[in-house]
Structures are given as structure tokens and as C-alpha cells.
Amino acid sequence: MWKIKSWIELSIISILPLVYSLIQDEDLQLLSITHSSSLEKYLTYSHSVIMHFEIPPNTIFASFVFVALEQDLSIFGCSTRNVSLYLKHASIPLVNPDGTKIPKEFKEISRPEIHNIEFLSDEKKSYINITSPDPGMYYAATFLAYEDPRYEKISQQGLSQSCEASVDALLYVSKIEPPIIITENRLIDVFGQTNMTQYFRFLIPRDLDHVILNIPQSSNEILIRVGSGKPPTSSVFLLEKTINSSSQMIFAVQPQTWYYISFDFQLKTDLSFHVRYFSNMASSGQNFIAQSLGNITLYNMSVVTKTYNTHILTNNEQYVRYPLLREASTESYMFSYKLQPEMGNTMFLPVNVTSKKFSVLKFNLQQGSDIGGTLQYILAFKPRVSRNSHWIQVLKEPENHIILGCIQRNEIAVPTWPKNCVSSQTTSVSPLVLNETTTNSTLLIPYPESGVWYASFKLFCGKCEPCNCSESCKHEYEVCIVKCELNCIDGCEDCQESCRKTVLSKETCNQCDCDGPCLRNSSNVCNTSIVFDVSSKPCYFGGCGSQGRCGLFISEGVAYSSCLCSNNYRGFDCSDDSLATPYYLVLLEFLFLIISNILFIPAVYIAYKRKYYLEALVYFSIFLSSSFYHACDAGENVLSFCIFRLVALQFADFFSALLAIWLTLLAIADLPPLQLSLLQMCGAMIISFCVTLNRYSLWIFALPSAIGIVIIGISWYLKYRKFRCRFIDRGYLYIYLPLGSVVVLVGLIIYALLQTQRNYMYLHSLWHMIMAAGVCLLLPKPNTFQAAVLL
């Protein structure tokens, strides 16, 4: 209790100066203070401490302040250590501080930025500042900076620094005044003052995907910015435009999303504006057709065909959206999204695709419960089967058939020729490509962000003739759309299609009928069937390969899955063998640590011959317990032989070793039988209690050794004082005792100071042999002490 109280007081004392220094800025509001648990050195992701923060809507600036401090738990003081911290929106960040190999299924897609800082545990402030942050949850993973574990020193408790590092985090935000909420077609009058900014926001209804911002009049120059889901700033915005008269702006939006408009006034200005929503998606119902091997099955499931179109003339493609249902189990992070006819079945149903349209799968990941696993998106061609009355033949997919797959959060990414995924914000290389040589393709997304995801795919075939559409034609199409939509009333014509036909009918714009970057060729149409898998599993496909096991962890209330690797394997899936111990070295380690205990057999024999029967029994116990303990523990989980639980074998090993030290020191003291038996029994009981309490601490070894040496000194002093003569054999006193003491001292130095993870098998085996040799040297012979000289 005292330890917890002192730690809390230390944290409060360290945080107060931060609060006072930052609270002076009136624009910043302290939102939360978070204290982490003790940090660990990074070996696997499970050694991370996860902290989480929530940023409210209307936040224009967020400042994360981090302070690392050390708590001293020993007399040696604390040195500053390096701390690593990674911060990300909507999910825990995937980190790779040790530079391990990344699984080939982890491919680049559009995801939130990961912010990283490296700082010291010196109680100084470190910052992550984010302008116009996305509202919602932010997760930070922090740990002591990675160091090569092979060179990590194996230190004994009480003989080195003992410190606990932790991180205190403060979140400050600056929010705009609640913006005015506006609705469609309502004319808003704005009276702007000099150097003033006004914000408005509006919610996009379902099934609408475009907005026209119409400003009929403005008396002075104004800077207009549009932001998606967050207030826009000078560095973060969706759209920016400076106007000084009437103007119209058209931009693509996402349904059921809040959008912000800011007006920056340099001079006193009056203006009026209104917004109009419309959809560029022409939808129609159609049936879903699935073809299985040799059979065609028609399912009564309605899907929706839509036209994906921004306000740009060349971005006009039809797509089919399939409704997906979630199927989950009680196991953590085990769920999948399936077509309705697949529910309750184990077979994947093929989907017919054509080069005329691309396909979209929409699904939702829940906040908190779905982000700790690995999302997988798999596409594969359905085998083409030809049959007659005698045999069935599996045919190859045509050589010119190519499937491109995309996946993106919050927005549809359109597969475009030759290998791109295009959305309104980004253009990236398609992570999934199927062709004649690659019949299936897999994408894994570790720790996916919560929210709405869109997985899309499209079939391409034939050649691509470049589409060369002039900017003037695109501008003419945009102007036509704006005029048509602004003048449109209920029941008006389809502005998208009518403007498209009007522009394409002109001779100068006949090259604008595009399918992505290619000219649309209605005669070159192909089709095929594919199967898909959109699901989640913990770790790497639900496991960690042959060198690891998948574990579920909870840190600061955040749950996630991570692999625990054996034999120095590393990486997200335990496949990186760059630091792995070769099998022959594992075998040598296994044999060294076991065979080195054989030197205790001579110690048993010597003790028996010198009539130290109890000591002989304990030395034999060391031989057995140490051999079985290392047989169970030493083989890097590659070789192991455990006759009992590891913790029981470890207790037996430590207890036997400490009891052997105690009994050997008592034998050197040459005590009378009564005192000897009492001290032997008392020592055994106290040692067993201490080993159960904490078997790794230095005082466990130091206490019996120090008491034993004191008993030797007292016994020998009292004997000499009583009889005033040398009662110890000269050879033992001047040869065996000093030599044995030096040998044991060398062994203790090796055990306490020199062992590392890299040299453990050599030095610890040497420790076994040195201690066995020390016992043989130190154990007195029957004639070492004069029989008449007794206390």
C-alpha cells in the first residue's frame, strides 16, 4: 500500500508543473490525465502498454503531452532510459521497432497516420500536436525502447538498479464554438467582421453523395474551406477556394457524415449561401446469381447496381453492392461477413463479375471489440469446369483476365487500370491482383480501425486505349451539373446522364467516354466468377506458426491479440528467424546445462566417503533437480522434457542449491551434533520459505551464506579461545579452504555479474561445474579437525 501511495504522490507532483504551465494558454482545455502502468522492454507487442484518449467533435487542435519518469526501488538510483511511443486514431498502432520481417500479406493501403516520438524517462515534456484531428478514440502504444535481447544482462535482484518507468499523459484540446447547423436549400446570411472566421456544419443524408455550395453574392474576398468530419484549417482541409463574387463549388461527400464549412474574412463582408445535396448514383435492383460447380443456382437476394461518379466527367462507372451479414462466434476476434445465402453454410458462394461493373462489399467494424484482431480480405477465381458424360476438366482462367481488389475505410476505392485504387482523396497501388498465374490473393490488415469499410474488386480484360479528355470538357460537364442541380425541382431530369450525353455529343469531347484511364469499349466485355472472404481472426490467420502461440492481452482496458514467439523467433507471425538459435546450438545448450550437473556425482561420492551423509543426499538432490529443471526449461521450447510443472522443478533446483550452501558451511564450522542438527533443520525451513517468497533476489543467496560464515567464525574463535591451539589441518587451512573459497567466489561472480542471454548456456554450465568443484574442495575430511577440540 505504501508503494502504491508513494507512486501516486510522485506522479501528482510531477504532473502539477505541467498543468500550471499549459493551463496558462486560454485556448487550450485540459481534457484528461492518464497514468500508465510500468513499462517493459519491447520484445513482442504484448510488452506494450496501451493508453487511450477520446477527442470530442469540433476540435481544431489537440496536444498530447507525455512525461516519462522513473521510480527507484533500490539503493543504486535510476538512470534515464529511452521510451518509445506510437499514437494512432481509431485503433491500436501496429509497430515494428525491432525491424523484423513483415508478412507478405501486410500490404500498403490507406490508413490513419501513426505518430511516433522517442524520449527519455527524465520527467521532461514531449509533445504530439495534431491540427484538426479526427474525432473519436486515439490509442497510444508505449514501451522501453527496443534493445537486442541477446546482449541483455541477466542481473540478480538487489545487485543492480531496480527501477520502474511509467508515462503520464495529458490531453489538451482547442475547440471552436459550436458551429451553426444548416440544412439543404436554406439561404444563410453571413455578416463577417475583419479577421473573423465563422463555421457551419451539415449532415449528409443517406444515399446522397454530392454537395453544391452556392454563393449568390459576396461583397469582398473570402477564403472558403470545407472539412470532412472535422473543422478545416489552413493545413487540413478537403477543399479550399478564394472567391470575391458569386461562386459555386461542387464536391463529393460520404453519406451520413458531418461536413464543415469555414469562411475566413479579411475585411468586413456580407454574403449569403446555401447548400444542395444530390446523388450521382443511379440505382436499380437486380437479382444475385451464383454459379457452383456444374450447377447454376438462382438466389432470391436483391443487390443494388449503382453508378459511381464524382463530378468529374471521366469518373463514371457502375458498380454492384452486395449486402453482407455478420456471423460471429464467442471466441475473441473470430467473425466473418457473408452473403445472405452463405449464412449457416461452410461453402463459399461464387459471385459472377463482368468487366462492365465493379463490385462493392460494405461492412462495419465495431469500436473496441473488433480492433484487436487481424482483418483478412481474400479474393480467388472460381475454378472453371468443363464436363461431358465421361470426365470433368478444370480449365485455366483466360490469360487476359485480371482482377484488381481494393479496400478502404469510410470511402469506396475504385479499381482502375492497370493496378490502382482511386478514391476522392488518395490513389494507391492495388493490394490484391488476380491473374492466370495468381489464382488467389490475400490481404491482412492487423488491428483494423473501427468504422465502415468498403471492399471492392473489378475484372479487366483486353487492351487499354488511353483516354485523353481535355480539362475544358471536364469543366463544361461540371458547370452543366451545377446548373442542372441548382435549377432542379422534384421530378426533374437525371442531371448526370443528360449532362454526360450533352458533353460527349460534342466532337471535341468524344474522347471523354472513359472507364477509368481507358476508353470505354462496349464490344470488349468479359466475365468470370470469383469467391471472396472478408473475416477476422486473432494474430496471424488465427495462429502464430510453429514457433509461437497466439495470446490475448488486456492493457489499460484495451484488448488485443499478439504472438508469443519461442527460440528467439520474432515478428508479428513469429516467422523472422534472423535471431533464432540454430537447432544444433539448442541441442548443445540442452546438453551443456544437463551434463554439467554430472560433476555433482563426485561431490556426492566424496561427501559419502567422508561420512557427510545428509550433505551427500542434498548434493544428489542438486544433480537431479537441476538436471530435470534445465531439461524442461533450456531447450528454447524446441527441446524439452518436463516430468513435473516447471515451477515445481525450479523450486526444487533453487532449494537444493541454497540448502547445499547452508549444509556445507555448517560442515566447515564443525559443530557439536545437537547444535548441528538444530541449525540444519531450522535452515531448511527458513530456506524453503524464502525460496517460495522470492527465489530470484540476491538476499536469498546472501543470507544463508553470511549467516553460515558468521557461524564458522564464531565456532572457530570459541574453539581457539578455549584450547589456544591450532585445531585445523594445515593442508585444509592453507590450501583447500583458500582455493575452494576462490573457486566459489569466481562462480558467484559469474552467476551474479557476467551472464547474458547470449552466453547463458556456457556460463551457467560453468557455474554448475565450479560449484561442484568448490564443494569438493571445501568439504572437510574426517581428520581435518582434531577430535578432542569440540565446543
Side-chain angles (χ1 to χ4, degrees):
M1 178 64 72
W2 178 87
K3 178 180 176 182
I4 296 175
K5 183 178 179 182
S6 63
W7 180 83
I8 294 175
E9 290 175 351
L10 180 63
S11 299
I12 293 174
I13 291 172
S14 64
I15 287 228
L16 284 177
L18 297 177
V19 176
Y20 292 145
S21 63
L22 289 175
I23 205 70
Q24 295 173 356
D25 191 339
E26 296 179 356
D27 292 336
L28 291 178
Q29 174 190 356
L30 177 61
L31 201 62
S32 66
I33 300 177
T34 305
H35 309 284
S36 79
S37 55
S38 298
L39 304 185
E40 298 183 61
K41 288 185 178 179
Y42 183 91
L43 292 178
T44 65
Y45 200 90
S46 61
H47 294 97
S48 303
V49 172
I50 307 296
M51 296 187 289
H52 54 96
F53 316 88
E54 185 171 10
I55 291 184
N58 303 330
T59 299
I60 201 167
F61 178 77
S63 179
F64 296 86
V65 185
F66 299 101
V67 178
L69 56 149
E70 298 277 0
Q71 183 183 9
D72 189 4
L73 303 177
S74 67
I75 62 174
F76 298 99
C78 291
S79 302
T80 58
R81 292 180 284 180
N82 295 319
V83 178
S84 299
L85 186 140
Y86 297 80
L87 178 73
K88 190 168 79 72
H89 176 249
S91 180
I92 58 178
L94 177 67
V95 301
N96 188 29
D98 52 351
T100 57
K101 297 177 182 176
I102 301 297
K104 62 181 180 180
E105 294 87 0
F106 291 5
K107 300 173 184 177
E108 291 291 335
I109 64 170
S110 176
R111 301 186 69 180
E113 178 185 3
I114 296 179
H115 305 271
N116 169 233
I117 56 172
E118 307 289 331
F119 54 105
L120 298 174
S121 57
D122 55 3
E123 302 186 25
K124 294 183 179 179
K125 294 173 286 188
S126 297
Y127 299 88
I128 294 179
N129 296 326
I130 304 177
T131 301
S132 192
D134 291 298
M137 297 301 297
Y138 280 74
Y139 298 85
T142 183
F143 43 81
L144 295 176
Y146 172 78
E147 296 177 359
D148 194 328
R150 295 174 298 175
Y151 303 101
E152 182 180 357
K153 186 178 179 181
I154 302 176
S155 58
Q156 303 303 311
Q157 290 184 15
L159 199 60
S160 60
Q161 292 180 342
S162 179
C163 304
E164 289 186 356
S166 60
V167 170
D168 293 330
L170 295 86
L171 172 59
Y172 285 86
V173 298
S174 177
K175 299 170 62 177
I176 62 174
E177 292 294 328
I180 299 173
I181 298 177
I182 60 177
T183 56
E184 184 182 17
N185 293 329
R186 178 186 174 188
L187 190 65
I188 306 296
D189 294 320
V190 182
F191 304 99
Q193 302 298 321
T194 303
N195 296 325
M196 185 181 92
T197 301
Q198 286 199 10
Y199 292 90
F200 300 85
R201 70 170 181 164
F202 53 92
L203 179 65
I204 305 300
R206 186 188 300 272
D207 295 329
L208 296 177
D209 60 359
H210 279 74
V211 167
I212 296 176
L213 173 60
N214 183 35
I215 304 174
Q217 61 178 9
S218 173
S219 57
N220 281 306
E221 186 175 279
I222 305 170
L223 178 61
I224 302 175
R225 295 190 182 99
V226 177
S228 173
K230 53 192 177 183
T233 63
S234 59
S235 57
V236 180
F237 54 83
L238 177 66
L239 189 66
E240 183 181 68
K241 187 176 182 180
T242 300
I243 65 169
N244 52 18
S245 60
S246 63
S247 179
Q248 292 84 35
M249 300 169 62
I250 181 173
F251 50 93
V253 294
Q254 294 299 314
Q256 297 181 292
T257 302
W258 284 100
Y259 281 80
Y260 290 76
I261 301 175
S262 70
F263 296 97
D264 288 351
F265 300 97
Q266 300 300 320
L267 300 172
K268 186 176 181 180
T269 305
D270 298 337
L271 66 84
S272 59
F273 76 96
H274 73 275
V275 295
R276 179 175 177 83
Y277 315 141
F278 70 96
S279 175
N280 262 356
M281 298 183 183
S283 61
S284 62
Q286 76 174 38
N287 288 326
F288 169 77
I289 300 176
Q291 181 179 358
S292 58
L293 295 178
N295 298 301
I296 296 179
T297 306
L298 180 64
Y299 294 100
N300 293 322
M301 185 178 73
S302 177
V303 299
V304 178
T305 300
K306 293 179 175 285
T307 300
Y308 180 89
N309 193 304
T310 66
H311 58 281
I312 300 175
L313 176 61
T314 54
N315 291 351
N316 188 291
E317 297 187 60
Q318 285 191 326
Y319 69 87
V320 180
R321 190 174 70 193
Y322 295 94
L324 296 183
L325 300 178
R326 180 183 173 112
E327 183 177 79
S329 69
T330 56
E331 296 182 46
S332 298
Y333 313 117
M334 291 287 290
F335 55 87
S336 60
Y337 296 91
K338 296 183 176 181
L339 299 169
Q340 186 172 3
E342 289 181 331
M343 299 300 290
N345 298 326
T346 57
M347 295 291 293
F348 288 101
L349 297 180
V351 176
N352 290 341
V353 295
T354 174
S355 57
K356 286 185 176 181
K357 305 171 184 175
F358 70 96
S359 303
V360 175
L361 311 170
K362 179 184 178 181
F363 57 95
N364 182 67
L365 295 183
Q366 301 170 11
Q367 179 175 298
S369 60
D370 291 352
I371 65 174
T374 302
L375 181 68
Q376 61 185 40
Y377 176 32
I378 303 174
L379 293 177
F381 284 117
K382 181 190 79 69
R384 291 173 173 259
V385 177
S386 174
R387 66 167 64 189
N388 59 25
S389 58
H390 300 289
W391 48 271
I392 296 177
Q393 182 181 7
V394 179
L395 305 176
K396 287 186 176 181
E397 194 71 22
E399 184 177 356
N400 64 340
H401 281 198
I402 297 176
I403 293 281
L404 298 182
C406 306
I407 189 168
Q408 189 163 310
R409 175 174 166 263
N410 293 338
E411 187 176 3
I412 296 175
V414 182
T416 59
W417 186 268
K419 55 178 180 179
N420 291 330
C421 295
V422 179
S423 65
S424 63
Q425 299 295 312
T426 61
T427 298
S428 58
V429 176
S430 173
L432 297 182
V433 178
L434 297 181
N435 52 35
E436 181 191 17
T437 60
T438 307
T439 57
N440 66 82
S441 186
T442 301
L443 167 67
L444 296 183
I445 305 174
Y447 308 138
E449 294 77 29
S450 58
V452 179
W453 286 76
Y454 297 91
S456 55
F457 49 88
K458 185 179 181 182
L459 172 65
F460 296 89
C461 58
K463 296 182 179 180
C464 175
E465 296 292 336
C467 177
N468 299 313
C469 184
S470 66
E471 292 298 324
S472 61
C473 294
K474 296 178 183 179
H475 179 69
E476 184 177 348
Y477 175 73
E478 179 177 336
V479 171
C480 177
I481 289 273
V482 171
K483 289 182 178 180
C484 178
E485 291 291 345
L486 289 178
N487 296 324
C488 179
I489 57 175
D490 293 340
C492 66
E493 59 181 337
D494 185 347
C495 294
Q496 170 197 325
E497 189 60 28
S498 63
C499 288
R500 182 177 175 81
K501 288 180 180 179
T502 301
V503 174
L504 292 180
S505 63
K506 297 183 177 181
E507 184 176 353
T508 56
C509 299
N510 57 11
Q511 291 294 309
C512 291
D513 189 10
C514 304
D515 182 4
C518 308
L519 279 174
R520 195 180 305 276
N521 188 347
S522 58
S523 62
N524 188 19
V525 178
C526 54
N527 57 74
T528 188
S529 295
I530 68 165
V531 292
F532 67 85
D533 175 31
V534 177
S535 59
S536 172
K537 289 182 172 60
C539 298
Y540 178 76
F541 292 110
C544 298
S546 60
Q547 300 297 331
R549 59 185 178 87
C550 183
L552 300 179
F553 303 91
I554 298 178
S555 176
E556 311 289 339
V558 180
Y560 62 94
S561 62
S562 178
C563 285
L564 297 175
C565 308
S566 59
N567 192 23
N568 294 324
Y569 277 77
R570 305 183 300 160
F572 186 87
D573 58 341
C574 297
S575 63
D576 189 337
D577 60 354
S578 57
L579 299 183
T581 306
Y583 183 79
Y584 76 92
L585 284 181
V586 174
L587 181 61
L588 285 178
E589 176 183 357
F590 185 79
L591 294 176
F592 280 1
L593 291 171
I594 295 175
I595 295 175
S596 60
N597 290 291
I598 292 179
L599 284 186
F600 280 99
I601 297 298
V604 173
Y605 175 75
I606 291 174
Y608 179 80
K609 291 292 291 183
R610 296 176 183 177
K611 299 183 180 181
Y612 292 102
Y613 302 117
L614 182 59
E615 287 79 358
L617 179 62
V618 173
Y619 299 155
F620 185 71
S621 174
I622 292 178
F623 164 70
L624 288 179
S625 60
S626 182
S627 298
F628 283 120
Y629 167 59
H630 288 296
C632 183
D633 178 66
E636 301 285 357
N637 294 325
V638 177
L639 291 173
S640 64
F641 175 73
C642 300
I643 61 172
F644 300 110
R645 290 182 302 145
L646 180 63
V647 65
L649 294 172
Q650 189 183 59
F651 173 86
D653 181 38
F654 277 78
F655 176 74
S656 299
L658 290 169
L659 186 59
I661 294 174
W662 176 247
L663 295 182
T664 302
L665 292 173
L666 293 181
I668 298 172
D670 190 34
L671 299 171
L674 179 60
Q675 291 90 326
L676 178 63
S677 60
L678 287 174
L679 287 173
Q680 287 173 340
M681 181 56 68
C682 289
M685 291 188 295
I686 294 173
I687 287 172
S688 65
F689 173 75
C690 293
V691 170
T692 304
L693 189 65
N694 185 354
R695 66 199 62 171
Y696 303 107
S697 180
L698 176 65
W699 64 267
I700 293 293
F701 290 88
L703 185 63
S705 302
I707 294 176
I709 292 173
V710 170
I711 291 173
I712 292 172
I714 294 173
S715 175
W716 287 8
Y717 171 74
L718 293 177
K719 287 180 181 182
Y720 179 77
R721 182 178 178 181
K722 182 176 181 180
F723 296 98
R724 297 293 180 177
C725 66
R726 181 177 56 81
F727 56 89
I728 305 174
D729 179 73
R730 185 184 300 273
Y732 182 81
L733 185 61
Y734 296 115
I735 298 176
Y736 292 106
L737 181 60
L739 182 59
S741 300
V742 171
V743 169
V744 171
L745 181 62
V746 170
L748 291 174
I749 292 173
I750 290 174
Y751 179 82
L753 301 177
L754 301 181
Q755 291 184 121
T756 66
Q757 298 291 345
R758 188 178 182 88
N759 63 26
Y760 176 78
M761 74 170 180
Y762 307 110
L763 293 189
H764 199 76
S765 300
L766 183 61
W767 147 264
H768 289 163
M769 295 184 286
I770 286 176
M771 296 311 292
V775 166
C776 295
L777 291 171
L778 290 175
L779 197 64
K781 295 179 181 180
N783 60 351
T784 297
F785 303 98
Q786 295 182 23
V789 183
L790 288 173
L791 291 177

